[in-house]
Amino acid sequence: SYDKDGWTRTIRATDMKFQWTRFDTDGNVDTRNRFDTERSAYVRKLDWEADDDRMRKGRVSLVTPDKGVVDSKIKSANGTDLVTFQDIATAQNKNYEDKIQWFQDTCAQLCVEWNEGHMRMNVRRDYLLSDSMEAVMSLSRKDLRKVWRFEFIGEAGIDAGGLAREWFELVTEEVFDPDMGLWQTSATNQMCMQINPASEISCPDDHLIYFRFIGRVMGKAMFDRQLVKGHMVKHMYKHILGWPIMFNDLKDIDEEYYNSLKGLKDLGADLEYVG
């Protein structure tokens, strides 16, 4: 099992998928439904509506942990099981350095060999973000696992790794720039970024596409062991990982609001009915 903030990741017997479960002091499943600031949690749930190779469509919602499940296996390109539940259970007991090595080795097995095809990314430096988004968002899932080679149009240079590093840093630096309007600095940590609620105003035509784009870029960066220019607030990483989000996470978003609600609770108010 894997524990996070009092919640335990377990396997659902009906389909062998991961779900989060909370146990009481007697070791039984905690079935209390009433909201509790110390125990209640929510996880993100993804419901896919279409399985398009380039642009999957679906809905994201927050549900109680027992309703938010994730796969416990990863399939290889030929459909066989690359990572099983047993592999994940073994990996979670490794130390941090060994976990990194296991993750990188697993990604290497998913990588498409050079002789099976690679992607050449030609971008203009003056239009780096728009060119990059158009190129990346046109790729299929298999293309995302191929080797990317970069060329800045009009500039001499062969990508032996240096241009790729520069591209990842420049693109992510521009996307996370608060002046672009997609992200804003956290009120509690100026080094971390959170989604700007007004992003649609700043980029009315394609703000959601940009978020999909940066998701692909960050995923590819992990896949290729590249660095990115930008750190998100903690609860964003928890959403990506499917970890439980609890009342205390609000403190990292708006500490003043968190303290106000906590003060109401300390005075005896029922937060379940505070709106």
Side-chain angles (χ1 to χ4, degrees):
S1 64
Y2 181 81
D3 296 325
K4 187 65 181 176
D5 297 329
W7 289 86
T8 300
R9 189 174 64 182
T10 59
I11 281 287
R12 192 167 65 179
T14 54
D15 54 12
M16 296 300 289
K17 290 189 176 184
F18 284 126
Q19 68 175 13
W20 293 94
T21 305
R22 189 159 194 124
F23 297 95
D24 59 24
T25 54
D26 296 326
N28 300 315
V29 175
D30 192 340
T31 58
R32 287 179 289 183
N33 294 323
R34 192 177 184 83
F35 180 80
D36 185 294
T37 57
E38 302 296 327
R39 304 177 64 83
S40 298
Y42 297 91
V43 299
R44 62 108 179 99
K45 181 184 179 185
L46 297 174
D47 293 306
W48 300 111
E49 298 175 350
D51 193 20
D52 187 275
D53 192 44
R54 285 179 170 79
M55 183 72 74
R56 298 180 75 187
K57 296 182 180 180
R59 295 178 178 273
V60 60
S61 58
L62 287 178
V63 298
T64 52
D66 61 300
K67 297 177 181 177
V69 298
V70 295
D71 289 330
S72 62
K73 63 177 66 176
I74 299 173
K75 291 188 176 296
S76 63
N78 60 14
T80 60
D81 288 343
L82 176 65
V83 176
T84 65
F85 158 68
Q86 290 80 8
D87 295 326
I88 297 176
T90 301
Q92 72 183 18
N93 293 320
K94 297 177 182 290
N95 60 42
Y96 181 68
E97 289 76 16
D98 289 343
K99 284 180 180 178
I100 292 177
Q101 188 61 53
W102 176 82
F103 176 80
Q104 292 175 343
D105 291 343
T106 302
C107 287
Q109 295 181 64
L110 287 168
C111 184
V112 177
E113 296 291 337
W114 176 270
N115 56 12
E116 291 187 37
H118 54 277
M119 305 306 300
R120 183 163 296 280
M121 315 289 278
N122 299 320
V123 296
R124 296 167 294 178
R125 193 175 290 272
D126 291 340
Y127 301 93
L128 177 65
L129 196 56
S130 58
D131 284 359
S132 298
M133 185 180 73
E134 183 177 345
V136 171
M137 296 309 296
S138 68
L139 301 179
S140 67
R141 297 181 203 173
K142 184 176 182 179
D143 293 336
L144 294 174
R145 295 186 287 107
K146 293 179 180 179
V147 177
W148 293 3
R149 285 292 179 260
F150 295 88
E151 178 183 337
F152 289 96
I153 297 175
E155 300 181 18
I158 298 176
D159 186 8
L163 293 182
R165 286 193 296 272
E166 182 182 11
W167 181 84
F168 276 102
E169 291 185 3
L170 290 177
V171 163
T172 53
E173 183 176 33
E174 190 168 344
V175 167
F176 283 111
D177 186 345
D179 290 339
M180 188 176 179
L182 293 172
W183 300 82
Q184 62 186 20
T185 55
S186 169
T188 59
N189 186 344
Q190 294 295 308
M191 298 297 292
C192 294
M193 308 300 295
Q194 63 186 35
I195 292 177
N196 182 359
S199 61
E200 185 176 8
I201 298 175
S202 303
C203 305
D205 297 326
D206 46 21
H207 73 122
L208 294 181
I209 300 297
Y210 271 113
F211 287 118
R212 282 179 174 258
F213 166 71
I214 193 59
R216 288 189 167 198
V217 170
M218 294 183 72
K220 183 62 173 174
M222 294 180 63
F223 200 79
D224 289 355
R225 311 182 193 184
Q226 297 285 353
L227 298 177
V228 298
K229 290 276 190 174
H231 301 280
M232 297 183 292
V233 289
K234 184 175 68 174
H235 74 275
M236 288 295 298
Y237 294 107
K238 295 178 76 171
H239 280 309
I240 292 173
L241 293 169
W243 285 1
I245 299 295
M246 302 185 69
F247 176 70
N248 285 340
D249 289 306
L250 179 61
K251 186 176 182 179
D252 296 326
I253 305 171
D254 191 328
E255 189 170 7
E256 182 178 354
Y257 187 45
Y258 167 83
N259 288 330
S260 297
L261 291 177
K262 193 171 184 299
L264 288 174
K265 175 180 178 296
D266 294 339
L267 290 173
D270 191 337
L271 294 187
E272 189 173 6
Y273 299 103
V274 174

